[in-house]
Amino acid sequence: MTVAAHATPFELVDTDHAAVSAVERYALQINAKDNVPYAGRNASQFPQGFPLAPGSGITLKQVEKDGSLTFWSLTDRGPNGDSPSLKQGDDKVPTKVFAAPGYVPQLVQIRVQLAEAATVTGRLPLSRDGKPMSGLPLKPGNTGSTGEVALTDALQPTLGYSERGVDPEGVAQDKDGNLWLADEYGPFLLHVDSKSGAILRQLAPGAGLPEVLKFRQPNRGFEGVAVAPSGKVYAAVQSTLDIDGKSKNKAGFTRIVEFDPQTGATRMLGYPIDTSYKKPGDAKIGDLVAIDDTHLLTIEQGKGADKVMRNIVYIIDLAAAEDLAGKKTADGKELEFASADELAKVKLAGKTRVLDLRELGWPHEKAEGLALFDGGIAVTNDNDFGLKASLESGDVDDAQIVDGKLVGGSGYQIKPSQEASELWLIHLKQPLKQYYAK
């Protein structure tokens, strides 16, 4: 669903919701100088470039002296659009159009002057070893590759790959003021210097993280990250793992990884997904934030079996959850293949529903940023840089690129989506600890 930007930067919405007293709804104020330049085939549709899209993750940085709130946020890999598959021999290879292939994923600061405006106040491009990162996919065979081919907006496979490709989707601040980022390519866990944007440490499956995570679905690696008061870092895989391409619609849970920065020790904990989806693989985690050392807050979302979008906020209780490392089914497979009876014997994380964003009028498909402030929850959407890709005739999912030509459709185009970037401050009637299971 797309919505037009607000007529004003701020709206206060009163509600009779059982859990919520009021909602402060902000349309993000982004200066045109922060837009992403675009000179491609559809440039006339974007005379000021693509609007910045800083809603892929959010965390509270600090409360200012005047009471305003400053958040860290971040963009994902950059302006991209769905595109037809590429026929290579007998294979159909997935693709993405990267409309601004030189884009560098970046951290963004947002300042919320309460009841006035939420404004982007700074940007910090990500780098490693003094060189900028990229949003382009990693070469097949490398850890973190999605198997995608990057296309120009003329549907040509000439952009290649990047050894520095990252797709950031979550951000959390540690006690030193530095940041942990969740990446959905690897999945990678990135420790970042908040003053320079430099990546200090990059963890990957088999290199600091459990190797089984390499079976994440394409573009569904880590989607949320949280730092608990203990200093431990938690990262949530967006959707069920797809082990050997066979488990994404069998698994009843997705994995949360616990990482101890002091020792390097990891645990894997199971988060049970709802049964409201047509297929388990349709469920997605939107973000993650720590309430205390054993409780996290998350958004679980996706289109339900009734074809209605769900954006549900849950509390996750990790206190009794078992480490999944080394646990197998009776026939030696990963627990993603477990029967209902086998999985019932495993202690997964507990979950308690807090609220449904849809009941508050949330209009977006993606709720991808989640943070806490005194008395409530902050939520942001990812508006995908305000663009939407389509064909003038035919369907992108059905068409193919064969020998450099589009078959099964015509007129590939990129147009403005008109979807706003928003930040909501949701004021709760009672503290989150009141929702803890008794």
Side-chain angles (χ1 to χ4, degrees):
M1 178 183 291
T2 58
V3 295
H6 298 157
T8 59
F10 166 75
E11 294 178 351
L12 178 64
V13 180
D14 291 319
T15 174
D16 58 0
H17 192 278
V20 177
S21 58
V23 178
E24 296 181 47
R25 182 174 172 178
Y26 296 88
L28 283 184
Q29 304 303 293
I30 304 172
N31 195 301
K33 68 179 178 60
D34 292 322
N35 288 358
V36 181
Y38 175 53
R41 298 180 69 184
N42 302 116
S44 62
Q45 298 279 343
F46 301 90
Q48 292 186 301
F50 299 118
L52 192 70
S56 287
I58 192 171
T59 191
L60 182 65
K61 180 187 178 186
Q62 62 193 31
V63 179
E64 307 295 344
K65 291 181 179 179
D66 63 359
S68 60
L69 307 177
T70 297
F71 292 93
W72 280 112
S73 188
L74 80 170
T75 72
D76 60 18
R77 58 183 171 170
N80 66 85
D82 292 337
S83 48
S85 59
L86 179 67
K87 188 170 177 57
Q88 293 184 339
D90 294 331
D91 296 328
K92 291 195 300 182
V93 180
T95 69
K96 279 283 186 181
V97 162
F98 285 78
Y103 181 78
V104 179
Q106 51 199 283
L107 294 162
V108 177
Q109 285 197 36
I110 298 171
R111 184 159 181 165
V112 181
Q113 294 171 282
L114 299 177
E116 291 186 27
T119 306
V120 170
T121 57
R123 297 183 292 118
L124 197 59
L126 294 175
S127 65
R128 187 177 65 209
D129 301 325
K131 298 179 181 179
M133 302 303 288
S134 170
L136 291 173
L138 294 145
K139 189 174 182 179
N142 290 0
T143 299
S145 171
T146 59
E148 291 175 326
V149 171
L151 303 178
T152 68
D153 62 1
L155 300 183
Q156 297 304 303
T158 55
L159 297 179
Y161 300 96
S162 174
E163 295 181 356
R164 311 177 73 78
V166 291
D167 188 4
E169 293 288 350
V171 57
Q173 183 171 258
D174 65 20
K175 63 181 180 181
D176 297 320
N178 289 321
L179 303 170
W180 287 92
L181 306 189
D183 164 276
E184 67 178 354
Y185 270 162
F188 301 128
L189 192 57
L190 310 175
H191 196 205
V192 176
D193 185 327
S194 61
K195 293 182 175 61
S196 66
I199 296 174
L200 306 172
R201 189 177 188 182
Q202 180 167 328
L203 305 171
L209 297 175
E211 191 165 8
V212 72
L213 300 178
K214 69 183 181 181
F215 292 112
R216 55 96 181 95
Q217 296 181 45
N219 292 317
R220 297 207 198 168
F222 287 147
E223 185 72 17
V225 63
V227 178
S230 67
K232 291 182 178 179
V233 180
Y234 294 89
V237 181
Q238 184 177 30
S239 296
T240 54
L241 296 184
D242 196 20
I243 298 169
D244 297 328
K246 298 177 180 179
S247 68
K248 69 178 181 181
N249 290 320
K250 295 181 181 293
F253 66 94
T254 189
R255 298 194 181 218
I256 295 174
V257 177
E258 176 190 275
F259 173 72
D260 188 335
Q262 298 301 314
T263 65
T266 62
R267 292 196 304 151
M268 288 184 293
L269 311 170
Y271 169 81
I273 58 174
D274 290 349
T275 58
S276 304
Y277 309 95
K278 184 176 181 179
K279 305 184 300 295
D282 293 340
K284 300 178 183 180
I285 298 297
D287 203 1
L288 209 62
V289 61
I291 304 171
D292 55 36
D293 284 337
T294 58
H295 294 89
L296 308 174
L297 198 68
T298 193
I299 299 173
E300 183 181 326
Q301 56 194 358
K303 190 171 289 186
D306 58 2
K307 298 184 180 180
V308 175
M309 187 57 60
R310 313 172 72 248
N311 306 94
I312 315 293
V313 177
Y314 284 105
I315 288 174
I316 305 173
D317 186 349
L318 302 177
E322 292 182 272
D323 186 359
L324 303 185
K327 289 189 178 295
K328 307 284 185 180
T329 63
D331 55 357
K333 295 181 179 180
E334 295 289 348
L335 291 178
E336 277 73 10
F337 295 98
S339 66
D341 288 343
E342 285 179 309
L343 196 59
K345 298 175 183 178
V346 180
K347 293 181 180 178
L348 303 177
K351 60 189 291 188
T352 304
R353 176 175 166 138
V354 178
L355 59 92
D356 182 348
L357 292 177
R358 295 272 153 181
E359 294 175 354
L360 299 175
W362 181 259
H364 309 288
E365 175 184 339
K366 299 178 180 181
E368 292 201 356
L370 185 66
L372 298 179
F373 65 95
D374 187 19
I377 303 168
V379 182
T380 56
N381 69 305
D382 174 14
N383 79 331
D384 292 327
F385 294 86
L387 66 88
K388 187 173 181 60
S390 63
L391 298 178
E392 290 181 0
S393 67
D395 188 280
V396 167
D397 293 334
D398 297 330
Q400 288 188 52
I401 302 166
V402 183
D403 296 329
K405 297 181 179 179
L406 181 60
V407 177
S410 64
Y412 185 83
Q413 57 190 349
I414 296 173
K415 291 185 175 182
S417 69
Q418 304 303 322
E419 183 172 4
S421 285
E422 293 193 282
L423 186 153
W424 286 22
L425 298 182
I426 300 171
H427 295 266
L428 300 176
K429 290 181 177 178
Q430 59 183 0
L432 288 171
K433 65 180 181 181
Q434 297 299 319
Y435 293 91
Y436 293 177
K438 300 296 189 289

